[in-house]
Amino acid sequence: MTNPIEVLVPDIGGFKDVSVIDVLVKDGQQIEKETPLITIETEKAAMDVPAPAAGRITQVKLKQGDKVSEGSVILLIEPAADADADADAAQTASAAHDANSTPAPAPAPAPAPAPAPAPDAAAAAAPARAVPGAAPPIATRADAAIDESAFSKAYASPSVRKFARELGADLGRIKGTGAKGRITQDDVKALVKAILTAPQAAAAAASPLPKVPVVDFALFGAIEVKPLSRIQRISGARLQASWINLPHVTQHEEADITDLEAARAALKGKAAQEGVRLTPLAFIVKACLLALQEFPRFNSSLDPGGENLIFKKYFNIGFAADTPNGLVVPVIANADRLNVYEIARALALMSEKARAGKLKNTEMQGGTFTISSLGGIGGTGFTPIINAPEVAILGVSKSIQKPVYDGSAFVPRLMLPMSLSYDHRVIDGAEAARFVVFLAKTLGDAKKLL
Ligand code: CAO
């Protein structure tokens, strides 16, 4: 018998201050090697941390709700006599890992008890493999499609959260049937069953995507590898999901904003005195709101089964904001209740917060239609990707003076290029054309927007 040793949180892929959602053992308990000790929940996955050796737990150092990072002490254990070698290996390798040196040789880790992880889970689990024998393999379960913010807010017990993680079920999509709306295990099962029996899921399972070739770029010259930012990783997965799942069509149109710009120029100075930066985008948001009210289908979403259209009676406008950490989409809630000055104020306030990384999750949720404006930068047109489950997005490019024939002569007019991408399952081409024509007409009539 040896002195108690500390069992530490192993490398968890760089995540810090991760929540302990379950403590699975207690003081005095005899455990086997690989017995799950705690469950931690990163934004990507729930993971069980298993015991590095068999023995008797002398003191559990963590409780549910604690935050941990790599190296946090989980518990003290008196290793069983025949487990000393494992325990020594675990300790030695932990120390070696802390010092960033090569890990001590140790027996190859036992295979992870969990099913083969999804790609995201594989990334989270990779560091554990990089230190053979140092930390025992971690069972990870993840689902890239989970809305982490909604998941974390869902009203459910730790065991139900764990169960949902195991199945890759998004708690944020479940309406609890338990006491006070608490989500039960049966609710999670019902969601999974609904997804599995949906026709789309069957189709998706039957047609895995072909893979892009893997190239070792270093064979051809010098390279430098930099990690994507957290925002880029999250938005990248969502953009890809939208691109793959929604049949996109982009409808282009130009709006004559000569008169609107004249009106804006006249109002800009006074607005600035009141602290409002009146950019073209505020008027474009206003025009979109009028168009959405005229064409409610553009403010709808398909239900997950793809059989019903959900018309939203509120108008929350998201706008793409370029930030040093990547693309974010702040949402102006109930924008239809605001005048153009209030919209301009909201745009300025939220883009400033976005760039400072201070947007709350709630300020990026609930959007019903998105605008991506690259007009301040340039370009003549692009193909914006729909912010699914929304069904349309307006891309705006830089306005430019163009010669427009007025029936007798070419006259200079300020033209604003617009690119409307829409989900062709929900919106027909003719309706999309009507939408952009309406939008262009509205933007041509400044009085309608003030
Ligand atoms: N045509 C010509 N000029 C335009 C214009 C347009 N369509 N839109 C804006 N401008 C002008 C503005 O008037 C402003 O000029 P002044 O300072 O002289 O008034 C200047 O361009 C810069 O505007 P801005 O970008 O600061 O403000 P905005 O309200 O137009 O946009 C925001 C705010 C947050 C949308 C923008 O800053 C941004 O981040 N754009 C990038 C969005 C993006 O990355 N989209 C791609 C997403 S991937 O699909």
Side-chain angles (χ1 to χ4, degrees):
M1 181 62 68
T2 55
N3 290 330
I5 58 160
E6 289 181 333
V7 175
L8 310 180
V9 173
D11 185 339
I12 47 176
F15 288 104
K16 292 208 171 19
D17 296 328
V18 169
S19 294
V20 176
I21 60 166
D22 219 352
V23 177
L24 308 163
V25 290
K26 52 182 189 297
D27 291 358
Q29 186 177 336
Q30 285 289 348
I31 53 165
E32 297 302 318
K33 187 179 176 187
E34 302 295 338
T35 299
L37 303 175
I38 57 170
T39 306
I40 55 178
E41 187 184 39
T42 71
E43 65 190 27
K44 290 272 168 200
M47 310 170 185
D48 288 343
V49 179
R56 192 182 73 87
I57 294 171
T58 57
Q59 193 183 6
V60 177
K61 294 277 196 183
L62 293 174
K63 59 183 184 321
Q64 192 185 313
D66 281 353
K67 302 273 185 212
V68 294
S69 306
E70 181 185 352
S72 303
V73 181
I74 302 172
L75 49 76
L76 301 179
I77 184 172
E78 269 171 5
D82 59 353
D84 285 357
D86 282 338
D88 287 350
Q91 268 189 321
T92 316
S94 280
H97 183 62
D98 288 348
N100 264 340
S101 58
T102 312
D120 268 4
R129 282 202 304 272
V131 193
I138 295 176
T140 64
R141 303 165 295 267
D143 184 339
I146 286 178
D147 177 342
E148 290 301 333
S149 158
F151 191 103
S152 66
K153 284 194 206 105
Y155 181 35
S157 68
S159 62
V160 171
R161 306 182 81 77
K162 193 176 159 202
F163 182 61
R165 285 283 182 200
E166 278 169 359
L167 299 182
D170 189 351
L171 284 182
R173 286 173 57 188
I174 301 178
K175 202 165 179 315
T177 58
K180 296 183 185 161
R182 199 177 175 108
I183 299 170
T184 64
Q185 200 157 343
D186 283 344
D187 295 332
V188 176
K189 285 183 196 162
L191 174 78
V192 173
K193 194 171 168 198
I195 291 171
L196 287 176
T197 50
Q200 280 182 342
S207 61
L209 285 174
K211 295 270 180 278
V212 172
V214 178
V215 174
D216 181 359
F217 302 107
L219 291 175
F220 306 99
I223 59 166
E224 185 186 358
V225 180
K226 290 185 178 176
L228 290 177
S229 72
R230 184 175 161 274
I231 289 178
Q232 283 170 329
R233 277 185 281 129
I234 294 170
S235 62
R238 292 198 179 151
L239 289 166
Q240 189 179 17
S242 173
W243 189 248
I244 294 167
N245 288 295
L246 277 58
H248 282 66
V249 180
T250 304
Q251 173 70 48
H252 302 282
E253 174 63 307
E254 286 183 336
D256 183 338
I257 58 164
T258 316
D259 297 343
L260 176 61
E261 268 304 282
R264 189 178 76 90
L267 298 167
K268 214 166 106 173
K270 188 161 174 293
Q273 282 168 12
E274 289 164 24
V276 180
R277 203 167 143 255
L278 207 52
T279 65
L281 187 56
F283 293 91
I284 295 166
V285 171
K286 189 78 200 169
C288 283
L289 285 160
L290 297 177
L292 292 172
Q293 282 159 345
E294 186 75 15
F295 301 90
R297 234 176 154 79
F298 289 79
N299 202 55
S300 74
S301 284
L302 267 179
D303 73 5
E307 289 181 356
N308 299 298
L309 208 47
I310 302 162
F311 287 86
K312 287 158 253 178
K313 305 293 180 187
Y314 50 89
F315 298 88
N316 296 344
I317 304 297
F319 65 98
D322 181 30
T323 80
N325 290 322
L327 172 71
V328 293
V329 182
V331 173
I332 306 176
N334 299 310
D336 55 315
R337 297 184 197 161
L338 306 179
N339 64 34
V340 80
Y341 295 93
E342 291 165 330
I343 292 172
R345 206 184 282 278
L347 284 169
L349 188 78
M350 296 187 93
S351 32
E352 200 180 302
K353 276 173 111 175
R355 286 183 186 125
K358 291 194 174 145
L359 277 178
K360 296 188 197 127
N361 274 337
T362 49
E363 291 172 312
M364 294 183 278
Q365 290 169 353
T368 59
F369 180 85
T370 298
I371 301 173
S372 175
S373 172
L374 293 173
I377 303 170
T380 55
F382 63 107
T383 315
I385 297 181
I386 300 162
N387 192 9
E390 294 168 21
V391 294
I393 180 170
L394 183 75
V396 180
S397 298
K398 191 175 177 66
S399 57
I400 186 171
Q401 291 284 351
K402 279 191 174 179
V404 175
Y405 194 65
D406 70 357
S408 52
F410 281 100
V411 288
R413 303 296 295 178
L414 186 64
M415 305 303 289
L416 177 75
M418 302 184 294
S419 314
L420 176 84
S421 293
Y422 59 91
D423 182 342
H424 209 348
R425 295 172 303 172
V426 177
I427 293 159
D428 293 336
E431 205 176 3
R434 281 186 206 107
F435 184 93
V436 288
V437 167
F438 179 95
L439 201 52
K441 208 167 152 210
T442 308
L443 284 164
D445 187 352
K447 286 189 292 301
K448 282 204 172 119
L449 302 172
L450 286 165

